[in-house]
Coordinates of all heavy atoms in Angstrom, one line a residue:
R143 N -12.7 5.4 3.5 CA -13.3 4.3 4.3 C -12.2 3.3 4.7 O -11.3 3.0 3.8 CB -14.4 3.6 3.5 CG -15.0 2.4 4.3 CD -16.1 1.7 3.6 NE -16.5 0.5 4.3 CZ -17.3 -0.4 3.8 NH1 -17.8 -0.3 2.6 NH2 -17.6 -1.5 4.5
I144 N -12.2 2.8 5.9 CA -11.3 1.8 6.4 C -12.0 0.4 6.3 O -13.2 0.3 6.8 CB -10.8 2.1 7.9 CG1 -10.1 3.4 7.9 CG2 -10.0 0.9 8.4 CD1 -9.9 3.8 9.4
V145 N -11.4 -0.6 5.8 CA -12.0 -2.0 5.8 C -10.9 -2.9 6.4 O -9.8 -2.9 6.1 CB -12.3 -2.4 4.4 CG1 -13.1 -3.7 4.4 CG2 -13.0 -1.4 3.6
R146 N -11.4 -3.7 7.4 CA -10.5 -4.5 8.2 C -10.6 -5.9 7.7 O -11.5 -6.4 6.9 CB -10.8 -4.4 9.7 CG -10.7 -3.0 10.2 CD -10.6 -3.0 11.7 NE -9.4 -3.6 12.1 CZ -8.9 -3.6 13.4 NH1 -9.7 -2.9 14.3 NH2 -7.8 -4.1 13.7
E147 N -9.6 -6.8 8.2 CA -9.4 -8.1 7.7 C -10.7 -9.0 7.7 O -10.9 -9.7 6.7 CB -8.3 -8.9 8.5 CG -8.6 -9.0 10.0 CD -8.3 -7.8 10.8 OE1 -7.4 -7.0 10.4 OE2 -8.9 -7.7 11.9
C148 N -11.5 -8.9 8.7 CA -12.7 -9.8 8.7 C -13.7 -9.4 7.7 O -14.6 -10.1 7.3 CB -13.3 -9.8 10.1 SG -13.8 -8.2 10.7
E149 N -13.7 -8.1 7.2 CA -14.6 -7.6 6.2 C -14.1 -7.7 4.8 O -14.9 -7.6 3.8 CB -14.9 -6.1 6.5 CG -15.3 -5.8 7.9 CD -15.3 -4.3 8.1 OE1 -14.3 -3.6 7.8 OE2 -16.3 -3.8 8.7
I150 N -12.9 -7.9 4.6 CA -12.2 -7.8 3.3 C -12.6 -9.0 2.4 O -12.5 -10.2 2.8 CB -10.7 -7.7 3.4 CG1 -10.4 -6.3 4.1 CG2 -10.0 -7.8 2.0 CD1 -8.9 -6.2 4.5
T151 N -13.0 -8.7 1.2 CA -13.2 -9.7 0.1 C -12.3 -9.3 -1.1 O -11.6 -8.3 -1.1 CB -14.7 -9.6 -0.3 OG1 -14.9 -8.4 -1.1 CG2 -15.7 -9.7 0.8
P152 N -12.3 -10.2 -2.1 CA -11.5 -9.9 -3.3 C -11.9 -8.5 -3.9 O -11.1 -7.8 -4.4 CB -11.8 -11.0 -4.2 CG -12.0 -12.2 -3.3 CD -12.8 -11.6 -2.2
L153 N -13.2 -8.2 -3.8 CA -13.6 -6.9 -4.3 C -13.0 -5.7 -3.6 O -12.6 -4.7 -4.2 CB -15.2 -6.8 -4.2 CG -16.0 -7.6 -5.2 CD1 -17.5 -7.5 -4.9 CD2 -15.7 -7.2 -6.7
H154 N -12.8 -5.8 -2.3 CA -12.2 -4.8 -1.5 C -10.7 -4.7 -1.9 O -10.2 -3.5 -2.0 CB -12.3 -5.0 0.0 CG -13.7 -5.0 0.5 ND1 -14.5 -6.1 0.6 CD2 -14.5 -3.9 0.9 CE1 -15.7 -5.7 1.1 NE2 -15.7 -4.4 1.3
L155 N -10.0 -5.8 -2.1 CA -8.6 -5.7 -2.5 C -8.5 -5.1 -3.9 O -7.6 -4.3 -4.1 CB -8.1 -7.1 -2.6 CG -7.8 -7.8 -1.2 CD1 -7.4 -9.3 -1.4 CD2 -6.6 -7.0 -0.5
A156 N -9.5 -5.4 -4.8 CA -9.5 -4.7 -6.1 C -9.7 -3.2 -6.0 O -9.0 -2.4 -6.6 CB -10.4 -5.4 -7.0

Side-chain angles (χ1 to χ4, degrees):
R143 180 180 170 189
I144 300 169
V145 189
R146 301 200 65 173
E147 60 280 334
C148 58
E149 306 170 313
I150 294 170
T151 70
L153 286 175
H154 294 94
L155 287 170

